[in-house]
């Protein structure tokens, strides 16, 4: 008979509780915004006690940050994988841009979360800074590292990474977050092909 240690059970239960809390927090942030969400609301939505929420998260801002980190980690792994980016530039850039846009455009929860972030950033600038630090900075650094490869011959890899990332985020915001796809329609493939062409031609 396999014996399960008590500390293993506690650890598993703790992981489950954290996941419950994060799911409850996401539900509340999307429904009520950051200002309208309280730790009490999160506890009710998660089906746990308020004490349990505080045993894992010190405050609402810390909970928001962990939720954002979790979302970002999953998305970045899906887009970039777990190994350094390598391969022929046209194929790699097209693949990365396609995956990134698919993640943004097809994930309704992500779009709703971005609306909350943008809407709350005026009153809570620290939330916007968390977003930039946790969500945008790592992606920009990953792209910069790839674009800095000598064979690409790109004069300013960091600025080029920002241009690539900025174009994708702008497309997502105008088409999806702000419901503008019928006003300024464009197929995502056109944008990706143009970006790939601009960057790789710069490297020629």
């Amino acid at each position: 008979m396999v014996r399960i240690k008590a500390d293993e059970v506690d650890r598993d239960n703790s992981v489950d509780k954290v996941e419950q809390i994060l799911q409850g927090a996401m539900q509340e942030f999307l429904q009520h915004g950051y200002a309208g969400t309280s730790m009490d609301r999160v506890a009710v939505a998660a089906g746990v006690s308020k004490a349990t929420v505080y045993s894992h998260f010190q405050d609402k801002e810390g909970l928001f940050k962990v939720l954002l980190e979790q979302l970002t980690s999953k998305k970045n792994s899906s887009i970039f994988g777990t190994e350094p980016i390598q391969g022929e530039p046209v194929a790699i850039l097209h693949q990365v841009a396609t995956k990134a846009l698919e993640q943004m455009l097809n994930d309704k929860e992500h779009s709703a979360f971005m609306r909350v972030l943008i809407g709350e950033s005026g009153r809570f600038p620290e939330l916007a800074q968390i977003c930039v630090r946790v969500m945008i900075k790592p992606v920009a650094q990953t792209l910069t590292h790839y674009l800095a490869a000598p064979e690409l011959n790109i004069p300013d890899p960091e600025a080029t990474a920002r241009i690539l990332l900025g174009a994708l985020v702008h497309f997502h915001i105008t088409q999806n977050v702000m419901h503008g796809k019928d006003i300024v329609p464009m197929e995502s493939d056109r944008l990706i092909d143009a970006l790939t062409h601009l960057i790789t031609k710069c490297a020629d």
Side-chain angles (χ1 to χ4, degrees):
M1 178 183 295
V2 177
R3 294 184 179 274
I4 301 175
K5 296 180 180 179
D7 60 340
E8 291 177 348
V9 173
D10 291 342
R11 185 164 56 249
D12 288 343
N13 286 338
S14 180
V15 170
D16 289 342
K17 291 294 185 187
V18 168
E19 188 58 34
Q20 279 181 248
I21 294 167
L22 291 174
Q23 288 177 0
M26 174 60 85
Q27 175 184 317
E28 291 302 307
F29 284 133
L30 293 184
Q31 186 171 352
H32 301 289
Y34 184 80
T37 295
S38 66
M39 297 294 260
D40 284 337
R41 281 184 177 275
V42 171
V44 172
V48 300
S49 68
K50 186 176 178 180
T52 299
V53 174
Y54 276 108
S55 72
H56 293 286
F57 300 98
Q58 183 176 355
D59 52 31
K60 185 168 67 171
E61 184 176 321
L63 174 54
F64 186 90
K65 182 180 179 182
V66 171
L67 182 61
L68 190 56
E69 286 173 341
Q70 185 190 65
L71 288 174
T72 301
S73 177
K74 289 179 180 177
K75 289 187 179 299
N76 288 353
S77 294
S78 174
I79 294 168
F80 297 111
T82 56
E83 300 296 327
I85 306 174
Q86 292 181 335
E88 196 274 325
V90 171
I92 290 295
L93 290 172
H94 200 280
Q95 174 185 313
V96 167
T98 299
K99 284 186 176 181
L101 268 187
E102 284 178 351
Q103 288 274 346
M104 289 187 278
L105 296 175
N106 296 330
D107 189 339
K108 304 303 181 185
E109 188 175 71
H110 178 270
S111 295
F113 196 68
M114 288 304 295
R115 290 188 190 102
V116 170
L117 269 173
I118 293 169
E120 301 279 26
S121 61
R123 286 186 295 170
F124 303 100
E126 64 276 11
L127 296 185
Q129 290 180 329
I130 290 172
C131 175
V132 173
R133 188 176 297 112
V134 171
M135 182 179 288
I136 298 173
K137 186 177 179 180
V139 175
Q141 289 176 330
T142 299
L143 290 171
T144 298
H145 181 74
Y146 173 71
L147 295 172
E151 60 270 22
L152 291 180
N153 193 34
I154 293 176
D156 193 335
E158 183 179 7
T160 305
R162 298 267 190 109
I163 291 168
L164 173 59
L165 182 57
L168 296 175
V169 171
H170 175 269
F171 185 85
H172 169 52
I173 290 175
T174 56
Q175 300 291 296
N176 218 35
V177 176
M178 299 182 70
H179 311 285
K181 58 186 176 182
D182 294 328
I183 303 170
V184 283
M186 177 178 285
E187 294 298 320
S188 59
D189 284 346
R190 283 183 62 196
L191 179 79
I192 293 168
D193 288 343
L195 283 170
T196 303
H197 174 78
L198 288 170
I199 294 172
T200 54
K201 286 301 178 183
C202 171
D204 286 345

